[in-house]
Amino acid sequence: MKRSRFSEEQIIAVSKEQEAGMATADVCRRHGVSSATFYKWKAKYGGLEVSEARRLRSLEEENSRLKRLLADAMLDNAMLKEITAKKF
């Protein structure tokens, strides 16, 4: 997945600028992002604090690691079943 040029802290700061009363178009223009990107950020990070965003990222990384481990285990299991089926 492509890494953003903005950190979670920066994204939350941009969101807070808009919540403070600045127009969305002005915030987007000032930071050089599209309004679609801004609303995507707002959906993901809206209402979060910086520490919560860091925790969210670490949980997402752990979740993807566990999914890879599960996929590898299921593949190994399928191969073992295939090998034992050929022996009989």
Side-chain angles (χ1 to χ4, degrees), residues 4 20 46 50 58 76 83 88:
S4 173
V50 175
S58 69
D76 290 343
I83 291 171
F88 294 115

Side-chain angles (χ1 to χ4, degrees), residues 35-71:
S35 59
T37 301
F38 175 78
Y39 286 115
K40 191 185 319 178
W41 288 349
K42 191 146 177 95
K44 185 171 184 178
Y45 297 105
L48 291 181
E49 295 297 322
V50 175
S51 62
E52 294 169 337
R54 286 185 184 143
R55 177 81 175 133
L56 175 66
R57 183 180 62 197
S58 69
L59 288 173
E60 287 174 344
E61 288 171 356
E62 182 182 3
N63 191 25
S64 65
R65 184 182 62 84
L66 290 173
K67 283 183 179 181
R68 278 193 304 274
L69 286 173
L70 177 63

Side-chain angles (χ1 to χ4, degrees), residues 65-85:
R65 184 182 62 84
L66 290 173
K67 283 183 179 181
R68 278 193 304 274
L69 286 173
L70 177 63
D72 290 342
M74 290 176 72
L75 184 62
D76 290 343
N77 191 8
M79 287 189 314
L80 289 174
K81 283 183 180 179
E82 187 176 315
I83 291 171
T84 57

